[in-house]
Amino acid sequence: MDPRRTARTVSDPKVRQVGFFTQPSPPPGRSVSDPPPHDDTVRSLSPSSPPVNDHSPSGISLSPVMIPPPRHHSDTLLLRTALQATSPTTSFSYSARTVTIPPENEDVPSSFSPGLKVVSGKSPSSFPGVKASSVPASELTTVSVVNLHLVISEKAGGASVEVQNDQPANSKPLKEKTSKAERHALQEAQRAAKAAAKGGKTSSTASQSATKPSKAAKSPSQKNEDSQVAASEKKRVDRAPEKDRKKDAPHPRMQYDDMSRVEKAKRRAVVKQTEVRNRVELFRHLPQYEHGTQLPDLETKLFALDPMHHAIYKVGLQYLSGDICGGNARCIAMLQAFKEAIKDYSTPPEKTLIRDLTARISSYVSFLIECRPLSISMGNAIKFLKSRIAKLTLSLSEPDAKAALMLDIDRFINEKIILADKVIVKHAVTKIQDGDVLLTYGASSAVEMILLHAHELGKQFRVVVVDSRPKLEGQLLLRRLVRRGLSCTYTHVNAVSCIMHEVTRVFLGASSVLSNGTVYSRVGTACVAMVSHAFRVPVLVCCEAYKFHERVQLDSICSNELGNPDAISKVHGREEINYLEGLVNGENLQLLNLMYDATPSEYVSMVITDYGMVPPTSVPVIVREYQREHLWS
Amino acid sequence: MWWRSPSFILDRQQQQNDSVAQNPESVFLSSPPPSMADSLQNPKPNMSAYYQTRAAHHAVVTSDWLAQAQAAVDRHPDDDGSSGSEGRAAPRSGGGGEKAFSVIDEFNSWRKQPDLAEAVAAIFALAAVIRSSQATTMMELEIELKKASDSLKSWDTTSISLTAGCDLFMRYVTRTSALEYEDFYSAKSRLIERAEKFGEISRKARRIIAMLSQDFIFDGCTILVHGFSRVVLEVLKTAAQNKKLFRVFCTEGRPDRTGLRLSNELAKLDVPVKLLIDSAVAYTMDEVDMVFVGADAVVESGGIINMMGTYQIALVAHSMNKPVYVAAESYKFARLYPLDQKDMAPALRPIDFGVPIPSKVEVETSARDYTPPQYLTLLFTDLGVLTPSVVSDELIQLYL
């Protein structure tokens, strides 16, 4: 590994410079949103040094984003080594981070600099194509960026500084033009990009530090870098408190392949989870932890934890151990815990209830996320609660406010979950006729209620329960159905294509339905839906409207949840089936236990919600018409 | 698919035995000589009232089965009239029993007008209920209306546009908050006024649809139409008036031969028309540029319920990448969501095969089918030109 790395560091920086930074024409994404005056001013400011022109701040601010999250195998190796050598690296990683901070921070307030916008769109695709041939790994570019930056500032000092100063002024009118949503999206992209850059940098400096002896006297810019580090160190100190404020809660959809973020999150975390090492490449951005290690640790901390309410703690542990699962159950448990926490809440002196309680809820939520990633339904419930808190009038006394909030929570549970299910059952039963054969997958509470109610009404039908390893939730459902006297068939998802020809309706539950009609549900649902579509069997998805989300998702990769990989490598209760004995910790075996998948809307005939039976294309209408009403009115 | 299970064959045999045992004559759906038919046939369960009216309006139907149907209605008032008499009873009890007013009769008298859509006739009938009502409060009136609309709906459960019209009007009565602060009598008159307007709206809707669709009919195009739809006729008439050059292929529209009537109308307008038998659709689809159909109802998925044969035409057109346009007024939007063809209350109608059919042969007498939204290109409605998925949006906004 070492020789390879040195070889990479030796490669000529000039080549990369050509490859990445001197772009003769503005990138394609830029022309649309980029106001021409900005470009013009940059050009006019530095007419004397045309080659430097493209390295002006916008060019530099490009640099951090140019580093994609580690994808290649070599990267991951590198990251791993970086992790292993944490003690020497940390100091370096800090200093490395500061190197690029000046240009970055310059951009933070004016987060609409066109350069960054371009980057978010094109970085990963345009980037490896050029360099993959010349340089095998990506992270080293950062080094070159740093060098480059320094060279530039050396060479064209005055001009570029001027340009830098000029930029905020230029971007101000821009700010007004962009809409709120746009700005938000931009900021998000920027943040992610920055974080990615940092991640890349950490590892790059790690490698740098390791190979330093070999190239100590190589570049003169190395010295400059150090000085730059010293200079920017000061700046960093100034900005530190500001940064702390920002990171109070982890992003619900944190990218877990981003080392620096993960580190940060870990420092804050209540639940200390050890990460599983061998994760599947494609799903590195999702968290995955060793199972069952943290429970005793947490239990001892039960009384030591000051800010966490015991009800929240209990629910968190139940999530962690898997005692509570299923979208509605998790959501209700969370809301009930919040209710209890609000009941016991008293505003600390010199604080207002609205602000303090919101912060408190946020900290609870981040704890719950650490225990298990939130479902979309829970996210919606939290959004509801927070908007309710925000809407409390200041004049309201504390007990009144608490009572109002508790009432709101109760109302949410009753109206949005319990009543909604009743309405769904009422609608769905009309689609069950005598002689039907209904197929269901997994265990959905709504589907169970539908089947039981149809049975109570005396409809004559048969049920096929399709199940899958490792959770075997279908058996729970099967047990309850058989007890009530329904005639059932039980099979595993492997046999779904054999059983499908006798099925007349497929009823599925969902964790969420997204704006494009995509159904996000237990893994395997997409497969069942696809088979039934191929057999021309109508697929009915039963989902309460509070689980709808305005997000659009095309695949199940970018947002998902990883389960315990042990669950698929072992067969529970049969110790003799253990073919993977001793292989699980090997480097070349990656286990993937996904929890959810996304079913495209064309496989769904109908979505049954509390607003009636609608086609999947109408989900955004319901989101638009009703979610807003409940959240903001 | 339940018929694939082996037990099916046994079930079916049993069913057949049962039905044969019950009324062995019912399988004679064809028309033997009228005199014989009168004595033999028990056609009422095979005939949807909706198609009866349509048949009467379109007047191209074979006269013999109409005569039979008429005779059957006269002879078996209990079949069709049973629910009708209930309906007759309902308003009487609600209104206090001072005069024998029946929504059904009212509805039927409105229905006689050939230019009036069924949904509008239903609304007129309900308006008549309001007019004759003795209620003194809004609540009373609402209950009375509800009863009347329920009896109307149960009188002919197969007619979707009747149900949709009743629902629409009830929706208007119960939802309009403007009525709340006014005194009762002005509210009442306002409701009547509104109901009256519906007739006008429905006529205007056809004009709007005709105007909207003009952009889609280009010179030299060939249009395939199926069945007889007043809206489609209006569309073609407007296009002819606008001096567009196009020709029309009319399907025959078995068994009530609605295509013949349409071709008659078009010939009067000097539009070149070609008649096809229903089975020649795929054969001629090459030459066709677009398919135009009406709709009995537009359902929530964005699909349509229309005369039997629409689905297969849409399938053929879809596979040959020809656009399928639907012309339908917005009062035909119904809160229904059929999942497949069998998922609807079947509207039955007798079929005239011209020869006696042996009693062992089953005859499919369904009068309409369901075309799923993925086979439709656009819907021309008075709300605008919509893609199928917008229908549900409109319905959600209307009813929720």
Side-chain angles (χ1 to χ4, degrees):
Chain A
M1 203 184 293
D2 263 352
R4 254 172 87 203
R5 218 185 291 141
T6 44
R8 257 181 266 143
T9 38
V10 172
S11 64
D12 191 2
K14 254 185 198 166
V15 178
R16 277 176 300 227
Q17 183 182 332
V18 172
F20 298 115
F21 302 108
T22 52
Q23 279 156 344
S25 61
R30 196 167 167 172
S31 54
V32 186
S33 54
D34 198 1
H38 173 64
D39 257 2
D40 290 346
T41 46
V42 173
R43 296 243 158 80
S44 60
L45 272 169
S46 52
S48 55
S49 54
V52 187
N53 189 15
D54 274 324
H55 307 305
S56 61
S58 65
I60 288 167
S61 60
L62 268 171
S63 62
V65 208
M66 283 250 157
I67 295 95
R71 276 272 152 73
H72 315 290
H73 185 61
S74 56
D75 289 342
T76 63
L77 279 181
L78 240 158
L79 286 181
R80 229 169 273 145
T81 48
L83 257 186
Q84 277 155 5
T86 32
S87 49
T89 5
T90 38
S91 62
F92 269 99
S93 70
Y94 277 126
S95 63
R97 199 184 302 161
T98 53
V99 171
T100 40
I101 272 177
E104 252 174 40
N105 280 352
E106 218 87 75
D107 284 334
V108 169
S110 67
S111 50
F112 320 104
S113 99
L116 281 185
K117 208 172 200 173
V118 172
V119 155
S120 59
K122 63 153 230 168
S123 60
S125 55
S126 67
F127 165 74
V130 189
K131 64 160 290 229
S133 51
S134 61
V135 194
S138 60
E139 77 282 352
L140 278 184
T141 48
T142 48
V143 178
S144 72
V145 170
V146 169
N147 294 348
L148 195 89
H149 169 49
L150 293 168
V151 172
I152 293 154
S153 48
E154 262 180 358
K155 254 201 277 181
S160 75
V161 166
E162 259 176 44
V163 174
Q164 263 182 12
N165 291 343
D166 203 53
Q167 201 180 8
N170 274 337
S171 55
K172 245 176 210 163
L174 252 184
K175 195 184 280 183
E176 281 148 34
K177 269 185 225 160
T178 49
S179 77
K180 199 175 177 186
E182 247 179 310
R183 255 179 284 157
H184 185 77
L186 247 176
Q187 258 168 344
E188 209 72 72
Q190 213 167 20
R191 217 173 288 150
K194 206 161 84 175
K198 275 177 197 164
K201 228 147 277 158
T202 336
S203 57
S204 75
T205 37
S207 67
Q208 224 180 343
S209 69
T211 56
K212 224 172 182 175
S214 68
K215 63 157 202 170
K218 202 201 102 198
S219 65
S221 63
Q222 197 77 28
K223 266 179 262 162
N224 272 21
E225 190 182 323
D226 288 346
S227 66
Q228 182 88 359
V229 167
S232 55
E233 198 87 52
K234 256 184 274 164
K235 274 188 190 170
R236 198 175 63 86
V237 171
D238 297 33
R239 293 213 162 92
E242 187 184 49
K243 278 201 161 172
D244 276 339
R245 195 151 34 81
K246 260 194 240 164
K247 66 180 179 187
D248 53 15
H251 193 269
R253 287 197 287 152
M254 195 169 87
Q255 302 292 299
Y256 280 82
D257 50 354
D258 174 348
M259 278 318 185
S260 66
R261 287 214 158 193
V262 172
E263 285 297 320
K264 256 192 266 172
K266 266 194 186 161
R267 257 178 277 133
R268 287 193 305 270
V270 182
V271 190
K272 290 280 175 267
Q273 307 229 41
T274 40
E275 278 189 55
V276 171
R277 272 294 156 77
N278 288 347
R279 281 181 294 165
V280 176
E281 204 60 58
L282 201 54
F283 292 94
R284 268 180 182 281
H285 56 288
L286 304 172
Q288 184 163 55
Y289 302 115
E290 301 271 13
H291 217 67
T293 51
Q294 64 283 63
L295 214 64
D297 180 42
L298 267 176
E299 272 162 6
T300 57
K301 268 199 265 174
L302 184 52
F303 299 102
L305 274 166
D306 181 36
M308 208 55 66
H309 190 271
H310 59 85
I312 307 282
Y313 205 76
K314 184 177 152 202
V315 170
L317 289 185
Q318 280 170 326
Y319 287 167
L320 197 61
S321 61
D323 285 350
I324 299 182
C325 59
N328 286 343
R330 272 169 76 197
C331 194
I332 291 176
M334 180 190 73
L335 285 172
Q336 236 123 28
F338 280 160
K339 206 175 116 190
E340 213 145 295
I342 288 172
K343 198 166 129 199
D344 295 345
Y345 171 83
S346 61
T347 319
E350 296 179 11
K351 279 186 176 169
T352 56
L353 179 131
I354 293 176
R355 281 172 178 272
D356 189 57
L357 192 57
T358 312
R360 199 63 75 80
I361 296 281
S362 298
S363 74
Y364 294 159
V365 169
S366 61
F367 168 74
L368 293 179
I369 291 176
E370 282 156 23
C371 293
R372 189 177 161 188
L374 291 184
S375 66
I376 288 173
S377 53
M378 289 160 77
N380 282 345
I382 292 165
K383 218 158 85 182
F384 166 81
L385 180 59
K386 281 191 175 172
S387 78
R388 287 287 150 179
I389 295 174
K391 255 187 270 144
L392 291 172
T393 45
L394 280 169
S395 56
L396 215 60
S397 73
E398 192 185 299
D400 282 351
K402 276 161 58 177
L405 285 177
M406 278 149 64
L407 204 71
D408 276 337
I409 291 178
D410 274 340
R411 230 190 58 210
F412 186 90
I413 295 176
N414 274 327
E415 281 180 12
K416 293 275 149 191
I417 305 177
I418 295 170
L419 253 169
D421 274 334
K422 284 193 183 140
V423 177
I424 289 174
V425 167
K426 212 183 81 202
H427 284 302
V429 161
T430 62
K431 290 293 164 203
I432 300 178
Q433 275 132 27
D434 281 354
D436 266 349
V437 180
L438 312 177
L439 183 141
T440 181
Y441 177 73
S444 155
S445 55
V447 172
E448 182 187 335
M449 279 186 266
I450 290 165
L451 296 178
L452 291 179
H453 188 240
H455 183 67
E456 276 166 22
L457 291 180
K459 301 211 176 192
Q460 297 297 314
F461 61 94
R462 219 149 55 78
V463 181
V464 180
V465 179
V466 178
D467 205 355
S468 78
R469 288 215 348 102
K471 286 212 158 189
L472 299 178
E473 294 160 309
Q475 290 187 356
L476 278 173
L477 173 71
L478 189 71
R479 186 187 168 80
R480 289 189 288 252
L481 292 182
V482 169
R483 266 206 192 148
R484 300 286 285 273
L486 281 85
S487 69
C488 297
T489 307
Y490 178 77
T491 182
H492 271 207
V493 74
N494 320 354
V496 73
S497 63
C498 309
I499 199 92
M500 193 57 86
H501 69 85
E502 60 185 79
V503 173
T504 56
R505 300 266 187 279
V506 175
F507 281 90
L508 297 173
S511 168
S512 176
V513 182
L514 309 176
S515 253
N516 55 347
T518 301
V519 175
Y520 186 69
S521 189
R522 169 72 63 216
V523 67
T525 305
C527 165
V528 172
M530 202 184 297
V531 172
S532 37
H533 178 77
F535 278 79
R536 301 267 157 195
V537 180
V539 177
L540 296 91
V541 171
C542 310
C543 183
E544 299 84 354
Y546 85 102
K547 291 177 177 173
F548 288 4
H549 199 273
E550 70 262 17
R551 191 198 300 165
V552 165
Q553 203 172 309
L554 300 175
D555 54 33
S556 44
I557 296 167
C558 55
S559 165
N560 209 322
E561 192 181 327
L562 296 177
N564 181 12
D566 285 349
I568 54 170
S569 64
K570 291 187 188 115
V571 180
H572 183 71
R574 293 196 57 186
E575 296 302 323
E576 76 274 14
I577 303 182
N578 202 0
Y579 306 119
L580 296 178
E581 176 89 76
L583 294 175
V584 175
N585 290 322
E587 283 280 313
N588 52 356
L589 172 64
Q590 298 167 335
L591 295 166
L592 176 65
N593 180 13
L594 275 181
M595 299 286 270
Y596 296 101
D597 64 14
T599 310
S601 63
E602 60 258 40
Y603 300 144
V604 179
S605 320
M606 174 195 283
V607 179
I608 305 177
T609 79
D610 26 336
Y611 295 109
M613 297 179 280
V614 298
T617 49
S618 283
V619 170
V621 185
I622 288 177
V623 170
R624 164 159 49 87
E625 298 282 313
Y626 299 102
Q627 219 100 321
R628 200 192 319 132
E629 157 195 329
H630 284 286
L631 289 180
W632 319 121
S633 70
Chain B
M1 279 131 228
W2 56 280
W3 53 87
R4 288 200 208 168
S5 71
S7 65
F8 162 68
I9 297 167
L10 292 173
D11 288 352
R12 213 176 103 160
Q13 272 173 357
Q14 210 163 18
Q15 262 174 10
Q16 238 165 16
N17 289 340
D18 288 352
S19 68
V20 168
Q22 274 165 12
N23 45 356
E25 321 93 317
S26 69
V27 277
F28 287 107
L29 295 173
S30 62
S31 62
S35 58
M36 252 181 79
D38 275 358
S39 59
L40 267 181
Q41 244 180 353
N42 179 20
K44 255 347 272 170
N46 307 324
M47 181 68 179
S48 150
Y50 177 62
Y51 282 93
Q52 224 172 313
T53 332
R54 275 184 71 96
H57 287 170
H58 298 166
V60 213
V61 257
T62 50
S63 49
D64 49 358
W65 77 252
L66 203 75
Q68 289 160 29
Q70 199 51 53
V73 172
D74 295 338
R75 275 189 308 104
H76 299 272
D78 51 323
D79 270 335
D80 209 346
S82 60
S83 53
S85 59
E86 269 170 44
R88 221 162 278 144
R92 200 180 294 149
S93 58
E98 70 302 313
K99 70 175 167 182
F101 173 78
S102 158
V103 219
I104 313 285
D105 292 345
E106 184 74 27
F107 172 63
N108 277 333
S109 70
W110 282 114
R111 218 156 56 120
K112 297 272 156 52
Q113 298 189 16
D115 204 30
L116 217 55
E118 187 150 276
V120 182
I123 287 166
F124 282 175
L126 289 178
V129 171
I130 298 178
R131 217 176 282 126
S132 68
S133 155
Q134 304 293 310
T136 48
T137 62
M138 206 60 209
M139 201 61 208
E140 257 180 84
L141 185 66
E142 218 175 289
I143 292 168
E144 210 171 296
L145 263 182
K146 182 96 183 81
K147 264 187 197 152
S149 85
D150 282 351
S151 64
L152 254 187
K153 279 195 247 176
S154 61
W155 177 71
D156 183 4
T157 47
T158 55
S159 169
I160 299 163
S161 56
L162 170 61
T163 313
C166 289
D167 283 351
L168 200 69
F169 193 64
M170 287 311 289
R171 190 74 210 157
Y172 178 72
V173 173
T174 51
R175 200 193 205 180
T176 320
S177 54
L179 297 173
E180 275 165 13
Y181 52 83
E182 287 176 81
D183 69 308
F184 173 68
Y185 289 99
S186 63
K188 195 171 150 183
S189 61
R190 183 185 257 223
L191 282 180
I192 294 168
E193 199 181 297
R194 168 82 186 181
E196 253 70 295
K197 254 193 211 161
F198 259 97
E200 200 188 320
I201 288 173
S202 86
R203 267 191 292 278
K204 219 186 256 171
R206 271 178 221 152
R207 290 298 316 149
I208 294 170
I209 293 166
M211 294 314 293
L212 283 173
S213 55
Q214 292 310 302
D215 294 341
F216 293 84
I217 298 173
F218 49 90
D219 276 342
C221 69
T222 305
I223 303 171
L224 177 73
V225 292
H226 181 64
F228 181 88
S229 154
R230 280 168 290 203
V231 200
V232 172
L233 180 62
E234 181 84 30
V235 166
L236 297 176
K237 211 188 259 177
T238 316
Q241 279 160 4
N242 289 351
K243 307 265 180 259
K244 301 218 178 202
L245 299 172
F246 61 97
R247 64 174 171 162
V248 178
F249 287 179
C250 279
T251 57
E252 181 193 8
R254 287 268 290 152
D256 40 8
R257 302 198 186 154
T258 45
L260 290 179
R261 176 169 143 97
L262 188 68
S263 61
N264 284 349
E265 299 280 339
L266 288 171
K268 279 184 211 159
L269 297 168
D270 283 337
V271 174
V273 193
K274 194 193 233 179
L275 260 177
L276 318 169
I277 52 171
D278 290 334
S279 39
V281 167
Y283 174 78
T284 48
M285 193 55 85
D286 269 343
E287 296 175 60
V288 170
D289 291 307
M290 65 189 75
V291 178
F292 247 102
V293 288
D296 283 5
V298 181
V299 297
E300 195 148 4
S301 61
I304 56 165
I305 292 172
N306 197 25
M307 184 191 153
M308 184 63 83
T310 310
Y311 181 36
Q312 66 193 22
I313 290 176
L315 275 175
V316 170
H318 181 77
S319 70
M320 296 203 184
N321 281 333
K322 311 283 181 184
V324 179
Y325 298 133
V326 178
E329 300 94 329
S330 63
Y331 57 73
K332 284 181 175 163
F333 287 15
R335 264 185 89 70
L336 263 181
Y337 201 134
L339 286 167
D340 47 36
Q341 304 298 332
K342 299 278 164 354
D343 197 15
M344 303 180 283
L348 303 179
R349 114 196 109 170
I351 297 170
D352 178 9
F353 285 101
V355 288
I357 306 289
S359 64
K360 277 179 187 166
V361 176
E362 247 189 306
V363 177
E364 176 64 68
T365 52
S366 251
R368 60 193 182 199
D369 59 15
Y370 163 63
T371 310
Q374 62 261 37
Y375 303 116
L376 306 177
T377 315
L378 287 173
L379 295 145
F380 300 132
T381 73
D382 43 327
L383 305 171
V385 181
L386 312 178
T387 60
S389 61
V390 183
V391 172
S392 158
D393 303 6
E394 295 290 345
L395 276 169
I396 287 171
Q397 273 162 11
L398 190 63
Y399 282 102
L400 288 180

